Amino acid sequence: MNPFKAALHIQIFFALVIGAVIGLFFNPGEEHLEKNLTFSLKYEQGKVVVAEKEVDEKGNEVLVVPEVRLSAKEYSTRYPNLPKLESWKETAKPPVIEVTKRHYRLIEDAKSIHVTYCRDYNGRPVITTENLKTGKEIADKYPLFAKRYDSYRSSWSRRVTVISKTVGDIFLRLLKMVTIPLIVSSLITGIAGLGDAKRLGSMFGKTLGYYFVTSMLAITTGILMVNLIRPGVGAILPGTGSVTTFGEQQSLGGVFLGMIDNMIPSNPVAALANGDFLSIITFSILFGLFIVTAAEESRKRMTGFFQSFFDVMMGMTMFIIHLAPIGVLAFMTYATASQGPEIFGTLAWYMLTVFLALLVHAAIIMPLILKFVAGRSPWAYAKALSPALMTAFSTASSNGTLPLTMTSVEKNAGVSNRVSSFVLPLGATINMDGTALYEAVAVLFIAQATTGFELSLGTQIIVAITALLASIGAAGIPHAGLVMMAIVLQAVGLPLEAQGIIIAVDRVLDMCRTTVNVWSDSCGCAVVERLTKES
Ligand code: ASP
């Protein structure tokens, strides 16, 4: 069999496996720290100073991570399992903390150097992550890791990571290049083809209903799983040092006002230029609707024009899609070369909970919906969608995958352009089952790991509702779910820094939840097509 002539999904599958093998081979692994560590606590001018020091080769004490100064309150929320301030504040001798199992890793991609440092305090793991720009910054902030970075710089591991990230990003750029014109032409053609506003209204209602029901099912599955597995109990506390937290302080109201602003562009041309999905969708829908009501001659000319525009964009997209195996290979290589096996071990129960919940949703709940609501064979549908699903998995971006999702749904699964052009672009922005489920699991995991935090039914309901809203607000780009998590954490009063502990494994979970996001959007097409046909 000539691998270059094989069906696209077979090619992508091989690319995925080969990329994973290459990446695993070039994974630089983690460095263990054997030396004695002094972890000291001081109380100075009303602040707790937390310093983690090691003796270097010359016998000097050097800071392993930058020292942090915290208020008494920050100290107690960030380090709930360290000795209470009152117990040592007045004593001459600050407490000694036993630190065991220490390891760290450095990964450089095309844009930055990622530092991840893990250790156990009093038997509990702690992870610090930070993104730095230059080797000099490592020498200044993490002097003990600088030597390792010097040898890493000239290694094949680094080259493979940088090259695969660069090639993967080029593929993603190509996909993004066609996304906006494809959405616009596809939506306008689709809506103009619907014929009237009433049919649009019915489709709109059914689509939103589908988004809501499936997202809530996903969240419920996630919450049940966390309560069953309880991955956070006795596990982890937030990292020390300069923990990177994603997401700013944003209120729910702010996010929703922002969404409404986003939905009605004051300048549609600017919206197109900035790639604001929601604005573009609203404008294109209205444009399509008013084509229908325009005079016969204009209507024909416009419909013809956008149909041709759409055909050309489809041709261009199909061409780029042939490059998908290369893009997927690059992304998989990058993903496996840059993730750490031991860090996964540290957060294994948490990751397992997310995986299992996603699996139940994608492999049990969605197929049931496909079979009984849409009347489709789930297996055949998944096969038709496989190029899109595998691309979503490797790129972790539903927006980026959109051109592939559209072509797979229309050309392989035979869904009409009217439905797919409406359900998919809107779904890529607001229907994210995987992300919604992930938000719920991650926040409840953090809550379980935070000692003394009450996990009542009320709290879980708040988590469910805010997780839904956060998933609606999240953009279809890598790590968007992590950014939006700030909203859910805030809603139940958990510290934002708590995210520090899960950032280290976010990429892998992002890949899985993005696949579920795209899968749910695609199933939505089959469901909406069936429901609107019968009405
Ligand atoms: N990466 C996801 C997506 O593109 C969003 C998320 O971070 O959850 O669908």
Side-chain angles (χ1 to χ4, degrees), residues 205-340:
K206 283 170 182 146
T207 306
L208 289 190
Y210 169 85
Y211 291 164
F212 177 76
V213 170
T214 54
S215 296
M216 281 324 279
L217 283 173
I219 292 173
T220 314
T221 311
I223 291 184
L224 287 179
M225 219 47 115
V226 188
N227 284 300
L228 215 70
I229 302 182
R230 298 164 67 79
V233 175
I236 303 212
L237 79 164
T240 176
S242 39
V243 179
T244 326
T245 47
F246 282 70
E248 291 107 48
Q249 300 272 344
Q250 38 189 349
S251 68
L252 262 188
V255 168
F256 278 85
L257 281 181
M259 262 183 85
I260 293 177
D261 269 357
N262 246 330
M263 262 152 82
I264 308 169
S266 53
N267 178 349
V269 181
L272 275 176
N274 295 331
D276 298 336
F277 266 41
L278 286 180
S279 303
I280 296 170
I281 291 170
T282 319
F283 188 78
S284 306
I285 291 177
L286 287 176
F287 200 88
L289 271 179
F290 282 92
I291 288 182
V292 179
T293 55
E296 170 86 7
E297 200 191 328
S298 310
R299 185 168 54 86
K300 276 204 177 132
R301 218 180 283 144
M302 282 312 238
T303 330
F305 170 77
F306 278 103
Q307 182 64 55
S308 312
F309 188 3
F310 177 56
D311 290 346
V312 173
M313 281 322 300
M314 234 6 189
M316 209 158 147
T317 307
M318 293 303 283
F319 171 74
I320 293 169
I321 284 174
H322 282 113
L323 303 176
I326 301 174
V328 167
L329 183 105
F331 270 113
M332 277 314 285
T333 306
Y334 169 67
T336 39
S338 62
Q339 303 293 316

Side-chain angles (χ1 to χ4, degrees), residues 396-399 428 432 434-435 438-439 474-482 506 510 513-514 517-518:
S397 166
S398 15
N399 282 6
M432 296 198 178
T435 303
Y438 163 78
E439 301 284 334
I477 55 172
H479 299 301
L482 202 58
D506 190 62
D510 196 3
R513 63 184 191 250
T514 308
N517 290 345
V518 169

Side-chain angles (χ1 to χ4, degrees), residues 364-378 526-527 530-531 534:
I364 299 177
I365 299 177
M366 293 315 295
L368 286 175
I369 295 180
L370 263 182
K371 179 120 193 87
F372 294 106
V373 184
R376 292 242 184 188
S377 147
V527 170
R530 175 71 183 269
L531 295 180
E534 282 175 358

